[in-house]
Amino acid sequence: MRDIFIFSAVLCIMLAALRKPQIGILGWLWLSIMNPHKEAFGWIYSLPVLDMIAGVTFLSVLINFKKAEKAMLHPIAIILLIFYFWACMSTIFATSFDLSFPRWIYFSKTMIFILLMLLFLNKKHWIIASIFVFVFAVGLTGAKGGMFTIITGGGYRIWGAPGTAWGDNNGVSLAMLMVAPMIFALKDVLDKKILRLGVYGTSFLSFICILGTQSRGGLVGIIGVSMAFFVRTKHKLVMGVLIFICGLGVLAFMPDSWKSRMETIQTYEQDESASTRIIQWNYAVQLANERPILGHGFYARFHQPLYQKYLTGIDKNRSVHSVIFQILEEQGYIGLFIYLLLMVTAIVSAHKVSKQAKQRDDLKWASSLLYFSQFSIVGFAFNGLTINVAYLDLYYYLLAFIVLLISHVKMELAADHTKTSQQTVLRT
């Protein structure tokens, strides 16, 4: 039954996408995040549904390219393009092209999809629709995981959708840190009170889901987002009291197993998982120092000559478990600088344009989404300190949303300025 339902939905999306590529892009977004066919366990499980929608979407893009409503070129998009170019260069000159090329293909698919978003979703209704798809695809796991955590008292770990890049408990905590602020921001998009209550409830459950993952990186992310909220808010006393009360509530609700796991952050020298990460981070620095400009390329740490040179007799060949060190070893010091510049530019731009949009009632929805999107990036940055998710598609989707929202706000403000100027000329 699930197979038929999902296949019917995919078929409807494909048919609609032939006329409107935007629908194909939204369907692509839904399937790439949620992987619903991987939860059917029937004949559709192995069906390449994402490739099917992608193929139809590309065909529709070629047919309807003249109708594209392109987003304004923003520094975020420019820096992202530079970073992709740098990743291409590091792949061409990779230490192991065989290891690097498949991962480059994956990253290139994400970049192509981001390009399509910026070309065809630059309208208010398409921007809101894409964010709702993003929130639904990720937030459904948060709602279910949050309820499960409450019912079970937090005694079990939450896992994500199978076959996705955020399927393990660490990935779920990261995804929830990114989606929870965006869910909360939807309060200014929806008019009805009952829908706003649903937004508040889902955002709260997503926060509980982070705790339910029992991810130490998730706790680091919560601390980082809380600090960012405290810095940005004008009501620091209220925010400080709220953070303190929430902290007490977490300690009272979560079981001893959760507390014991979180305490290993302070005693990392005695924890095998934490101590091995430090070894792997040192390995990443050694690799970066060997090729500081371009880095070694994707997945170079698994190249056996490098492993034998630096890790033999010290540790196994593991993942680096850090966004920072992952970029450092694969893209070099310059690549890391570009990556961090991209992140900072997104946060600063979102905050700046949010304040501009807040001055107009018809743009408050965009202001709210931009304001809270910066906390999604902060959550990614802090949680990313402990897991290797530098090329996770969710993060780049979020950057695309920020560019689209900024483009929409800038165009609306420019149109209003032009209209005001014309009226002034007519009066004179």
Side-chain angles (χ1 to χ4, degrees):
M1 192 66 182
R2 288 186 186 181
D3 300 71
I4 297 174
F5 175 77
I6 294 173
F7 183 74
S8 299
V10 170
L11 189 61
C12 290
I13 292 171
M14 290 171 62
L15 292 174
L18 286 173
R19 183 177 181 184
K20 289 187 176 293
Q22 293 90 343
I23 295 177
I25 294 171
L26 295 182
W28 189 343
L29 181 66
W30 168 55
L31 285 170
S32 66
I33 296 174
M34 198 173 179
N35 262 13
H37 58 294
K38 296 299 182 182
E39 299 188 52
F41 304 110
W43 52 269
I44 202 172
Y45 183 90
S46 57
L47 199 67
V49 291
L50 184 58
D51 292 339
M52 293 163 57
I53 287 185
V56 173
T57 302
F58 275 121
L59 177 62
S60 183
V61 164
L62 293 174
I63 296 173
N64 300 282
F65 191 77
K66 292 183 179 180
K67 300 178 182 178
E69 297 284 348
K70 304 176 184 67
M72 294 176 65
L73 191 61
H74 189 270
I76 297 174
I78 296 173
I79 298 172
L80 180 57
L81 180 62
I82 293 172
F83 179 72
Y84 176 66
F85 170 78
W86 200 261
C88 292
M89 294 298 293
S90 71
T91 302
I92 293 172
F93 298 100
T95 300
S96 175
F97 186 79
D98 291 339
L99 285 173
S100 184
F101 185 70
R103 191 63 182 177
W104 176 82
I105 291 292
Y106 169 84
F107 187 49
S108 296
K109 289 180 179 178
T110 302
M111 291 299 101
I112 291 172
F113 182 70
I114 297 302
L115 177 63
L116 294 181
M117 290 178 68
L118 298 181
L119 286 176
F120 286 92
L121 298 184
N122 191 33
K123 287 288 185 181
K124 178 182 177 180
H125 56 283
W126 291 122
I127 296 172
I128 294 176
S130 62
I131 292 175
F132 265 105
V133 171
F134 176 84
V135 163
F136 169 75
V138 181
L140 182 62
T141 297
K144 294 190 299 182
M147 288 188 287
F148 181 78
T149 300
I150 293 173
I151 293 171
T152 61
Y156 300 91
R157 293 187 189 182
I158 304 299
W159 299 86
T164 62
W166 53 282
D168 63 0
N169 65 317
N170 293 314
V172 172
S173 70
L174 178 75
M176 295 309 114
L177 281 165
M178 295 176 69
V179 78
M182 297 300 288
I183 295 174
F184 191 80
L186 292 177
K187 63 183 176 58
D188 293 314
V189 178
L190 302 170
D191 296 327
K192 294 184 179 180
K193 186 176 180 180
I194 186 67
L195 296 177
R196 288 186 175 184
L197 290 175
V199 162
Y200 297 143
T202 306
S203 184
F204 172 74
L205 289 173
S206 297
F207 169 75
I208 298 297
C209 181
I210 299 172
L211 302 176
T213 62
Q214 297 196 10
S215 168
R216 289 167 294 191
L219 179 62
V220 173
I222 291 174
I223 294 172
V225 173
S226 300
M227 290 169 55
F229 265 114
F230 185 80
V231 170
R232 289 298 195 196
T233 185
K234 296 179 180 178
H235 310 286
K236 290 187 174 12
L237 179 60
V238 176
M239 179 58 67
V241 172
L242 182 61
I243 292 172
F244 179 74
I245 293 174
C246 290
L248 291 178
V250 169
L251 291 175
F253 172 75
M254 296 305 290
D256 292 337
S257 60
W258 182 87
K259 297 171 188 174
S260 299
R261 183 168 173 79
M262 297 306 114
E263 286 174 356
T264 59
I265 296 176
Q266 295 179 317
T267 58
Y268 64 88
E269 302 95 337
Q270 303 171 15
D271 182 73
E272 182 181 357
S273 176
S275 59
T276 55
R277 292 188 184 192
I278 295 175
I279 294 173
Q280 298 300 324
W281 294 347
N282 183 58
Y283 176 35
V285 173
Q286 290 174 320
L287 292 181
N289 290 338
E290 193 174 279
R291 297 185 66 177
I293 306 299
L294 284 174
H296 284 273
F298 297 101
Y299 278 9
R301 65 171 27 246
F302 298 107
H303 186 49
Q304 283 303 306
L306 293 177
Y307 161 72
Q308 292 170 3
K309 181 178 179 181
Y310 293 110
L311 281 184
T312 300
I314 300 175
D315 192 19
K316 297 179 181 178
N317 202 348
R318 309 172 190 264
S319 295
V320 66
H321 287 291
S322 172
V323 164
I324 301 298
F325 291 103
Q326 182 183 10
I327 293 293
L328 180 62
E329 68 179 37
E330 295 181 351
Q331 310 301 335
Y333 285 96
I334 296 178
L336 177 60
F337 172 77
I338 298 170
Y339 189 84
L340 294 177
L341 179 63
L342 173 63
M343 188 176 292
V344 172
T345 303
I347 293 173
V348 173
S349 299
H351 184 69
K352 179 182 177 181
V353 179
S354 171
K355 291 194 293 186
Q356 295 174 353
K358 193 176 182 180
Q359 299 173 4
R360 279 181 45 172
D361 291 338
D362 61 327
L363 291 176
K364 282 186 177 180
W365 65 274
S367 173
S368 182
L369 286 166
L370 281 169
Y371 179 77
F372 284 97
S373 67
Q374 61 184 317
F375 302 115
S376 296
I377 296 178
V378 170
F380 172 83
F382 272 83
N383 198 346
L385 292 173
T386 61
I387 51 177
N388 46 301
V389 287
Y391 313 103
L392 181 68
D393 51 6
L394 299 182
Y395 173 61
Y396 298 96
Y397 297 162
L398 186 63
L399 293 178
F401 294 147
I402 293 174
V403 173
L404 288 167
L405 287 166
I406 290 175
S407 175
H408 178 76
V409 170
K410 292 287 188 182
M411 292 174 71
E412 288 295 314
L413 293 177
D416 184 62
H417 178 73
T418 302
K419 183 178 179 181
T420 303
S421 301
Q422 291 175 344
Q423 291 175 346
T424 303
V425 171
L426 289 174
R427 287 172 187 167
T428 56

